[in-house]
Amino acid sequence: MKRAWRVAVREYLENAKTKGFWIGIALFPVMIVVFSQVPQFLEDKAVPTRHYTIVDRSGEFGGFVTRTIESRNRKREFEAFLKYLQDKKPQEAAVDVRQVLDQLDSLFEALGQSPSAGANPLDLTSLAGLDEMTPSEVFDSAESFEEMKRLLSGVLPPDAPPFIPPRPRFRQVPLPEGIDSTSSDEQLEIDMKPYLTGNRVLEAEGHPELFALLIIPADVGTSRRGLRYWSKTLTDTDLESAAKLSIAAEIRRREFERRGVDFDVVAEVQSIQVRGESFNPMKAAGEEKVRLEDTIRQWAPIGFVYLLWVAIFSTAQMLLHNMIEEKSNKIVEVLLSSVTPTELMGGKLLGIALVGLTMLGAWLLSLYGVLQWKAGPEAEWALGLLEVAITAELLVPFIAYFVLGYLLYAGIFASIGSICNTLKEAQNFMGPVMMIMMVPLITMMFIPRDPNGTLATVLSWIPFYTPFVMMNRAAANPPLFDMVGTLVLLLVSTVFMLWASGRIFRVGMLRTGQPPRIIELWRWIRNPA
């Protein structure tokens, strides 16, 4: 045992002292921050303002499209303005933001936000009638929108830096000079193609490219002809969608009036929403109401499953590479002159396991640090995830399944490393192993939706998938029989795998030449030389 421990220490230090190991650990928190911050940053900074022009043959609907686009720009600016208030408001502000949100309920519904989200204090006493306006009336009117921002700015200290609005998502521009808007659609489209393809630029400030051309037919909505939308960027359909929705809304309004139906009554009826609360029968009496933390708890295991998969695969791969390198360099022969094959294999497994635990510990600490940094009323999800992640409910099974999963797969990788002389030979054996290991990744998004269903239950009883699937089911209170039974089966399978790989290891580490066939491996397991 003492010599096996020395092998483990050597194996740990050989891997832990490499620059790549520590660079990988240092990059993990950077990756978390990047993945959480960069998408929003790119949305705000990297996506340029889209310039578009409208040719309205109907003479009626172009203004509705313009107002809809400008309203969406203001909603986007309002979201940025709320973040600005959260960052710059004084901590001692007196009035709870919930009071403001109750009055601005319709505005936040227009933004797709919950009117009760957050609890940050805002020192605000008057909304000057804005709370009586509809969302469209506030966001469609530049004057009302600026008044709302002015009132909300009353919470800011005198020395607060000015609010810098984000670039508008879309901006309307007139037709380029020399383009005749009265020409036929076909001719107009031919004349505009150089601007749409980027071969010619607009005369506006900065000489931007034209993003889209919208041609509204004279008989739009009364015939089969619809909006003609030209753009080379097929993945950004927000402008086209907004134009269609605004025109359709106005056509419906006119049709209601033509049929003698009061559109205001229709709009009032359509605005009726049903609010509700969710309850979980598995929770204790009096605490059945579902909170954000409960929802996060159901989905958080997915992140743990991914970390588990990466950790097991990385450490097992590390073991495989080390064994093949030492075998090809004849180092293993020197080691076996001092220790037994069992001590050597046990030491390697233990050493790499400690490397894996070090890596996991660093990842979990990084995750905790990032969540502590992000947690706050403006990032309620981070606060909920932090509350869930640090509980023993997930951490304990995570560590346990890592150890057992690592030992199970390490036995397979150790066997492959002992019978192969080069990484090229090992790749032939890695194909089937990788196919097995891909199943948890493919199914990890489906398991939380039906954690005690047939798929989850069946996969739980397959030892190769038990660590991942049961980790995914950890927050769903799986049946005790599944928890105990799959754990016992995993333990038995791990012991058998280590026993079998130990027999293969004894023969394979000193063997050269072509890798053995399956029947020969079975012979080694039954009766090693």
Side-chain angles (χ1 to χ4, degrees), residues 372-386:
Q372 281 279 21
W373 170 56
K374 291 290 294 181
E378 68 276 7
E380 197 172 351
W381 64 269
L383 200 62
L385 184 56
L386 181 63

Side-chain angles (χ1 to χ4, degrees), residues 180-201:
D180 185 7
S181 62
T182 63
S183 59
S184 65
D185 289 352
E186 292 74 14
Q187 184 59 48
L188 179 63
E189 290 162 356
I190 291 174
D191 295 338
M192 292 297 295
K193 271 189 178 180
Y195 294 94
L196 291 166
T197 57
N199 293 327
R200 298 188 65 180
V201 294

Side-chain angles (χ1 to χ4, degrees), residues 175-285:
L175 282 173
E177 187 175 350
I179 301 296
D180 185 7
S181 62
T182 63
S183 59
S184 65
D185 289 352
E186 292 74 14
Q187 184 59 48
L188 179 63
E189 290 162 356
I190 291 174
D191 295 338
M192 292 297 295
K193 271 189 178 180
Y195 294 94
L196 291 166
T197 57
N199 293 327
R200 298 188 65 180
V201 294
L202 301 171
E203 295 299 324
E205 181 181 353
H207 302 286
E209 289 185 12
L210 183 65
F211 172 71
L213 166 67
L214 291 85
I215 301 178
I216 304 175
D219 55 352
V220 64
T222 60
S223 68
R224 293 190 175 183
R225 296 192 65 196
L227 179 73
R228 295 179 67 84
Y229 177 83
W230 285 76
S231 177
K232 67 179 181 180
T233 307
L234 304 180
T235 54
D236 191 341
T237 60
D238 289 349
L239 179 63
E240 180 184 13
S241 174
K244 289 179 178 178
L245 290 174
S246 61
I247 293 174
E250 177 59 19
I251 291 175
R252 285 195 296 268
R253 188 190 68 80
R254 295 183 180 186
E255 186 63 18
F256 279 127
E257 289 184 352
R258 188 183 69 82
R259 300 189 182 192
V261 179
D262 189 339
F263 182 75
D264 292 336
V265 175
V266 174
E268 183 179 350
V269 173
Q270 290 179 335
S271 67
I272 296 175
Q273 295 186 0
V274 178
R275 302 188 182 278
E277 296 179 332
S278 299
F279 298 88
N280 186 349
M282 300 298 294
K283 298 181 67 176

Side-chain angles (χ1 to χ4, degrees), residues 116-129:
S116 60
N120 296 307
L122 292 175
D123 189 9
L124 192 63
T125 58
S126 172
L127 294 174

Side-chain angles (χ1 to χ4, degrees), residues 268-466:
E268 183 179 350
V269 173
Q270 290 179 335
S271 67
I272 296 175
Q273 295 186 0
V274 178
R275 302 188 182 278
E277 296 179 332
S278 299
F279 298 88
N280 186 349
M282 300 298 294
K283 298 181 67 176
E287 300 180 359
E288 296 94 340
K289 186 176 179 180
V290 175
R291 301 181 300 156
L292 175 63
E293 292 79 4
D294 300 320
T295 303
I296 292 175
R297 184 174 287 105
Q298 293 292 321
W299 290 100
I302 291 178
F304 282 96
V305 169
Y306 184 72
L307 286 180
L308 185 65
W309 191 93
V310 172
I312 290 176
F313 181 73
S314 300
T315 50
Q317 277 275 71
M318 199 180 301
L319 175 66
L320 173 67
H321 288 181
N322 289 356
M323 293 183 67
I324 292 179
E325 181 181 358
E326 291 180 356
K327 184 176 180 180
S328 60
N329 294 336
K330 307 298 183 180
I331 297 177
V332 69
E333 297 179 4
V334 178
L335 294 174
L336 287 175
S337 65
S338 303
V339 297
T340 66
T342 301
E343 291 172 334
L344 178 60
M345 179 178 168
K348 284 184 170 295
L349 291 176
L350 179 58
I352 299 296
L354 294 175
V355 172
L357 290 173
T358 301
M359 184 169 59
L360 279 179
W363 288 354
L364 293 174
L365 286 175
S366 300
L367 181 63
Y368 178 79
V370 171
L371 290 176
Q372 281 279 21
W373 170 56
K374 291 290 294 181
E378 68 276 7
E380 197 172 351
W381 64 269
L383 200 62
L385 184 56
L386 181 63
E387 180 179 328
V388 171
I390 62 176
T391 59
E393 179 184 358
L394 293 180
L395 283 180
V396 172
F398 179 67
I399 300 299
Y401 283 127
F402 165 75
V403 173
L404 292 175
Y406 161 74
L407 291 176
L408 180 67
Y409 280 97
I412 299 175
F413 280 63
S415 300
I416 295 174
S418 66
I419 63 178
C420 296
N421 300 297
T422 64
L423 287 175
K424 185 176 180 180
E425 292 179 355
Q427 288 174 355
N428 297 326
F429 291 92
M430 285 298 297
V433 177
M434 286 304 302
M435 291 181 64
I436 293 174
M437 293 193 69
M438 287 302 296
V439 173
L441 291 183
I442 296 172
T443 59
M444 70 178 184
M445 295 299 297
F446 298 94
I447 298 299
R449 297 179 180 177
D450 191 13
N452 296 318
T454 303
L455 176 64
T457 303
V458 171
L459 291 179
S460 299
W461 288 91
I462 301 176
F464 292 117
Y465 306 139
T466 300

